[in-house]
Amino acid sequence: MSKVSQILERKGSRVVAVSQDSPVLDAIRLMAEHHIGAVLVMQGDELVGIASERDYARKIILQGRSSSDTPISLVMSTPVICVSPSDSITDCMSIMTERHVRHLPVLDGGRLVGVVSIGDLVKELIEEQKQEITYLQAYIAS
């Protein structure tokens, strides 16, 4: 079973983040530019929250707030549910299912080293299953 560290090795450790004072509109623009569903909210090097498209829909649109006038700190989710590089894909999927989240920042010794999404985990599981099928077919054929 793959670990988070293996996913980050393949996809990279790039994170998209905004400061907690940034307007929600800046976060939404970044999500659109990078084709992602969430941005991290940072205070210097410290992870203080995460803001997703879901947060935007529920806390801006449905509440009639202005995206350009509302700081992301008012709509971000906090505390942030995080994982470590040594966590397994199964552990991450369980956390996502139980906590109803789609993105998990990855901390190594308290330092942010990346983010994994539900899409990253599903992609990894599919690759593992393909490999297992290939091995089983080779075994049966031999």
Side-chain angles (χ1 to χ4, degrees), residues 1 24 33 38 44 66 70 91 129-130:
M1 180 61 56
V24 171
E33 286 172 20
S66 166
T70 305
D91 292 339
Q129 289 175 348
K130 283 181 184 177

Side-chain angles (χ1 to χ4, degrees), residues 71-92:
I72 199 72
S73 60
L74 292 180
V75 298
M76 68 185 185
S77 295
T78 189
V80 183
I81 302 161
C82 298
V83 294
S84 75
S86 62
D87 285 328
S88 71
I89 292 174
T90 305
D91 292 339
C92 292

Side-chain angles (χ1 to χ4, degrees), residues 80-137:
V80 183
I81 302 161
C82 298
V83 294
S84 75
S86 62
D87 285 328
S88 71
I89 292 174
T90 305
D91 292 339
C92 292
M93 292 189 91
S94 293
I95 291 167
M96 288 179 168
T97 301
E98 291 168 12
R99 303 299 295 269
H100 303 285
V101 296
R102 297 177 185 167
H103 301 85
L104 293 170
V106 183
L107 298 180
D108 189 5
R111 187 177 64 85
L112 180 65
V113 294
V115 176
V116 292
S117 70
I118 189 69
D120 297 330
L121 300 178
V122 169
K123 181 178 178 181
E124 189 69 22
L125 278 176
I126 289 169
E127 287 304 313
E128 283 183 6
Q129 289 175 348
K130 283 181 184 177
Q131 285 181 356
E132 189 170 333
I133 289 168
T134 300
Y135 295 144
L136 290 172
Q137 286 174 335

Side-chain angles (χ1 to χ4, degrees), residues 31-48:
M31 286 185 236
E33 286 172 20
H34 294 279
H35 307 287
I36 56 176
V39 294
L40 301 182
V41 182
M42 306 292 291
Q43 181 177 351
D45 290 338
E46 182 185 356
L47 176 64
V48 294

